[in-house]
Amino acid sequence: TESSASIAAYAAAILAANATPARCCNSLVLPVVDARSHAHGATLDLYDKVHVTYSDKVNADYRITALEHQITPKKWIVGYSFEVVGSVAAPQLVPAPPATPGGLPWRDVYRAAAQSVATSTFAKVLWDTNRTPAISMAYSSGTFTADRAGIYEVRGVITFASNATGSRIARILAAGTEVYRNTIGTNPSSLTSVPFSDSVRLAAGDTLEIEAWQNSGGSLDVIGSAAGSKATITYLRA
């Protein structure tokens, strides 16, 4: 949901970018008076494309979508209507939405490459790929930073390589403090996935991190793939 202030700012940017009006040609009337006008105009048909130039105001290609011949003993006039969307010229520029729009902050990331985690040591997961385009909420080296105060939903999964020893943990840190932890036993015959999901209150500027832990007795990889280890962070409300 966009805020009123964000919508107003975006509208103002569009209006400013298109402050200088542009002209378009909706229709054209051509009198057929000689062989030249007959060859250049009267033989055109529906859906032909023509180039229209008028002083310094119009200089563009148009496609004929309707035509009418008016023939009398004294004159021959051809009327052309062109394909024009709307009653005014198309915008000269539609700017991209602001870098920090009024919509919900959003991060949807995953770990594409494997990340080694030492035994009995918490390691910040270094998300390296966006699954979908980000909306605000800065990110650097495993740390997200809230751009506004409110409740954020944090959910995802950390998937460890196969190993039969010990347990696995996924935890969430808000402003450096643990606010959520999930511990599960290993799957001796396959990968071990540890889901995490919590609602976290953050102040503007607070950091948010997701950490992995294992105690297999040696280093163990967090699996890298879009389906393996991923996280989604969504702003819910103030």
Side-chain angles (χ1 to χ4, degrees):
T1 302
E2 298 290 335
S3 68
S4 296
S6 175
I7 293 172
Y10 189 33
I14 294 174
L15 293 174
N18 298 280
T20 302
R23 291 195 171 114
C24 64
C25 182
N26 292 323
S27 61
L28 180 68
V29 174
L30 174 72
V32 180
V33 296
D34 53 25
R36 181 175 181 276
S37 58
H38 179 272
H40 286 80
T43 56
L44 293 171
D45 205 347
L46 281 174
Y47 307 116
D48 286 345
K49 183 177 286 188
V50 298
H51 187 83
V52 179
T53 301
Y54 173 63
S55 184
D56 61 347
K57 299 176 176 61
V58 176
N59 185 11
D61 291 327
Y62 294 91
R63 189 171 300 279
I64 298 171
T65 55
L67 63 84
E68 179 183 14
H69 290 266
Q70 297 181 27
I71 302 175
T72 69
K74 294 184 178 182
K75 63 182 179 181
W76 180 3
I77 295 177
V78 186
Y80 305 100
S81 294
F82 301 121
E83 176 188 41
V84 178
V85 178
S87 58
V88 298
Q92 301 171 69
L93 173 67
V94 177
T100 305
L104 303 179
W106 163 274
R107 296 299 304 227
D108 188 20
V109 296
Y110 69 95
R111 178 75 196 177
Q115 178 183 336
S116 180
V117 176
T119 188
S120 302
T121 302
F122 277 104
K124 181 168 54 175
V125 179
L126 304 177
W127 311 103
D128 57 9
T129 307
N130 285 317
R131 290 201 302 170
T132 57
I135 301 179
S136 65
M137 198 166 199
Y139 170 79
S140 177
S141 301
T143 300
F144 302 91
T145 302
D147 68 326
R148 67 177 72 181
I151 304 295
Y152 289 76
E153 179 188 57
V154 184
R155 56 187 171 85
V157 64
I158 297 174
T159 301
F160 292 86
S162 179
N163 184 287
T165 303
S167 58
R168 309 291 179 259
I169 296 175
R171 73 172 182 174
I172 300 170
L173 303 180
T177 301
E178 181 180 306
V179 295
Y180 172 91
R181 175 185 293 218
N182 186 20
T183 304
I184 66 173
T186 60
N187 185 337
S189 60
S190 184
L191 305 176
T192 300
S193 295
V194 187
F196 55 90
S197 179
D198 198 17
S199 296
V200 180
R201 177 170 289 281
L202 298 174
D206 277 355
T207 58
L208 187 128
E209 295 159 334
I210 299 159
E211 292 187 338
W213 185 94
Q214 58 86 21
N215 62 343
S216 65
S219 294
L220 194 66
D221 281 348
V222 165
I223 295 300
S225 75
S229 300
K230 55 190 175 182
T232 301
I233 303 170
T234 307
Y235 179 87
L236 298 178
R237 62 185 183 277

